[in-house]
Structures are given as structure tokens and as C-alpha cells.
């Protein structure tokens, strides 16, 4: 089976961009906080993703200090 996206690597700048992205991801994975506290950074990423999704839907992005949820959709 061949990769249907492989021809994209022949376009100008794509191979360099892929390498830069791969190197950046590697650096994040090798960051000392992520080596020991990956569960914490994964939870933080989930919260940030949820807040971004809420913002895109026009919802509030503030996290209630008491933890109460008034709109379970957002």
C-alpha cells in the first residue's frame, strides 16, 4: 500500500515544513515536564481544548471557581 499523500512531499517547502513540525513535536515530548508529569499536561491540554471549543461556539471560556456547570453543552 502506498501513501496517497506522499506526492505532497515533492511540493516546494513541504518536506522542510514536515521536518520542522516533527522536530517541534519531538522537543515537546522530550520536555522535562512532559517526561514526568505527562498526565498533568494532558489534562491541561484537554481543558484548553474545551475552552477553545466553547469560544468557537460563542460560549463562555471562564472556568467557574466553584466548579458548577450551568450549561452542560458548553
Amino acid at each position: 500500500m502506498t501513501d496517497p499523500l506522499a506526492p505532497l512531499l515533492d511540493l516546494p517547502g513541504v518536506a522542510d515544513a514536515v521536518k520542522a513540525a516533527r522536530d517541534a513535536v519531538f522537543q515537546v515530548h522530550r520536555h522535562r515536564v512532559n517526561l514526568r508529569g505527562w498526565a498533568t499536561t494532558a489534562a491541561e491540554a484537554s481543558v484548553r481544548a474545551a475552552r477553545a471549543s466553547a469560544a468557537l461556539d460563542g460560549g463562555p471560556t471562564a472556568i467557574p471557581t466553584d466548579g458548577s456547570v450551568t450549561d452542560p453543552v458548553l
Side-chain angles (χ1 to χ4, degrees):
M1 179 179 283
T2 60
D3 183 355
L5 299 178
L8 294 175
L9 291 173
D10 296 331
L11 296 174
V14 172
D16 291 336
V18 168
K19 182 182 179 325
R22 185 180 300 128
D23 292 345
V25 169
F26 180 76
Q27 285 181 342
V28 168
H29 283 290
R30 297 298 304 164
H31 191 279
R32 67 179 180 81
V33 172
N34 291 331
L35 290 176
R36 290 203 172 102
W38 63 268
T40 303
T41 55
E44 178 68 21
S46 295
V47 169
R48 289 180 185 216
R51 291 177 72 195
S53 180
L56 290 173
D57 281 344
T61 58
I63 298 174
T65 55
D66 64 357
S68 64
V69 176
T70 57
D71 187 353
V73 174
L74 296 175

